[in-house]
Amino acid sequence: MKHIKFTAALIIMLTATTAFATNYTFTDLGTLGGTDSYGYDINDAGQIAGYSYYDESNQYHAFLYQNGTISDLGTLGGTISYAFSINNAGQIAGYASNGLSSDLSQYRAFLYQNGAMTSIGSLAGEAYSAATAINETGQIVGQSRNTSGYVQAFLHQNGAMSDLGSLGGNYSLASAINDAGQIVGYSYYDESNQYHAFLYQNGTMSDLGTLGGTDSYANDINDAGQIVGQTHNSSNQMHAFLYKDGEMLDLNDFIDPSLNFTLSSARNINSNGDIVGYGTDVNGDTHAFLYKDGEMIDLNDFIDPSLNFTLSSAHAINSNGDIVGYGIDVNGDAHAFLLSHTTAVPEPLSIILSAFGLIGLFFKKMK
């Protein structure tokens, strides 16, 4: 009977450890013509939004990457544009200059759809605005200068922009919105110019607090209401956090000690609760990470070292597990990257043959 139990356990162990192996296919997205590019968001269709130098003048243009091609989205009449968010309908949100001046007053939040970039206005007529995120219903959030001259978080829906206010100070930014309309970001919470992460829902902005330090910043929220960002801890070190069920968790507690991350930031969380961001090690180098199933891992472990490419920061992960961000290539330039998630399924016959081979060897030794 002991032999039978051992055989069953061996079969279970073999099939459990070889059932699935997670892999990634790496793609350097290139640029629009200059040296640098940055990937900021990816939808479930694999379309990617970001921005890139478009020539040697070191001016950025928003881009859309799809079907292996990076395309320039243009501007609102000026020289610069940035794309930060794309939904599953392919709508893109960001901000762009509408004049030759680099002054913030020349920038407007935009919606890009059907091949055209359109300003969505601001909170105070001809004033600065910037969009940071768009959800599946087309609601857009960001920040804008209001009629009092303050820069405040906004929500744009049904053609109108509303001021979300702040936690008490004169500055706020909305960084993400889920499909339920819950909004997160960060705000001055008093006149001390310290930032606190917030959750805005049902017309109320709530302070999420910190991990014992001074500041916190919320960067994303998924449809389950889970929030990620970064915050100072009691030692005043910036650590990535996950906020769920009314509690803020320090993600540095889940780091593999070999990574030696001292600082970290969580940038995005998908519908499965997988989190991406970046960590800074004891040497000051930044590495993109994935937090999954209670463990934080360095994404550089999943690419070929011979590429001479360092994944510096992961900015977004879609529901399929595909990841975008930016890294440093062999020339020292920043390039947007895509890690396409694949699941390799071992050949069933080889598993069975290997299992019975080991079982046969075991019984041979037992005779």
Side-chain angles (χ1 to χ4, degrees), residues 166 181 201 220 227 244 260 262 269 289 321 323 358:
S166 74
Q201 60 183 347
D220 195 30
I227 302 166
K244 65 176 183 178
N260 291 318
T262 56
I269 182 169
F289 74 71
I323 300 169
L358 286 172

Side-chain angles (χ1 to χ4, degrees), residues 134-200:
I134 182 169
N135 67 9
E136 298 305 323
T137 66
Q139 294 175 304
I140 300 172
V141 295
Q143 66 174 191
S144 173
R145 193 170 299 280
N146 64 14
T147 55
S148 299
Y150 301 143
V151 175
Q152 302 276 256
F154 73 73
L155 167 64
H156 183 274
Q157 60 182 346
N158 303 320
M161 186 179 291
S162 55
D163 190 333
L164 301 186
S166 74
L167 291 172
N170 56 19
Y171 177 92
S172 60
L173 179 145
S175 53
I177 180 170
N178 66 13
D179 293 342
Q182 294 175 302
I183 300 166
V184 296
Y186 50 91
S187 166
Y188 285 164
Y189 72 97
D190 58 21
E191 298 307 318
S192 64
N193 292 347
Q194 294 176 339
Y195 295 99
H196 273 200
F198 70 73
L199 168 63
Y200 183 95

